[in-house]
Amino acid sequence: MDGVPGSAWEDRDMPEIPSEILTLRASIDNVDAALMHLLAERFKFTRRVGELKAQGGLPPRTPSVTASRSRGSRRSPTPRASTRSSRRSSVSSSSPRSSGTTS
Ligand SMILES: C=C(O[C@@H]1C=C(C(=O)O)C=C[C@H]1O)C(=O)O
């Protein structure tokens, strides 16, 4: 790989890594872990939605829901099916600190 731009440096050629880079790498690892946790939580919720849809004879995909989600809209297209209290408990149950062993 000699002479290839961007190729890995040999360890012996590597200058000392500034401590700020080490700190930033640790922060990046923490963010990655949090993202993984959130994606796992999200998957639990969408899987449960899928189970409930299958039980209720609903189609697996609801285009209006996924479209409003990708626009960043928090408003449910089916407000009669949502309540404030259930929403609040859903949010709190997805906190990384409170649900490390709920999988
Ligand atoms: C969450 C809903 O639908 C689900 C949402 C998905 C998503 O956002 O990735 C995927 C599958 C759907 O079953 C819903 O209809 O409320």
Side-chain angles (χ1 to χ4, degrees), residues 64-96:
S64 60
V65 172
T66 46
S68 68
R69 187 164 297 138
S70 61
R71 283 195 308 270
S73 163
R74 287 173 162 256
R75 194 159 49 99
S76 168
T78 55
R80 67 196 160 87
S82 65
T83 66
R84 247 179 225 187
S85 59
S86 70
R87 207 167 267 203
R88 190 170 294 141
S89 68
S90 295
V91 169
S92 65
S93 74
S94 68
S95 160

Side-chain angles (χ1 to χ4, degrees), residues 42-43 45-51 53 58-67 69-70 76-78:
R42 186 187 196 283
F43 179 69
F45 299 147
T46 57
R47 184 176 56 188
R48 181 66 184 142
V49 167
E51 289 169 358
K53 284 179 176 177
L58 290 162
R61 222 179 131 256
T62 311
S64 60
V65 172
T66 46
R69 187 164 297 138
S70 61
S76 168
T78 55

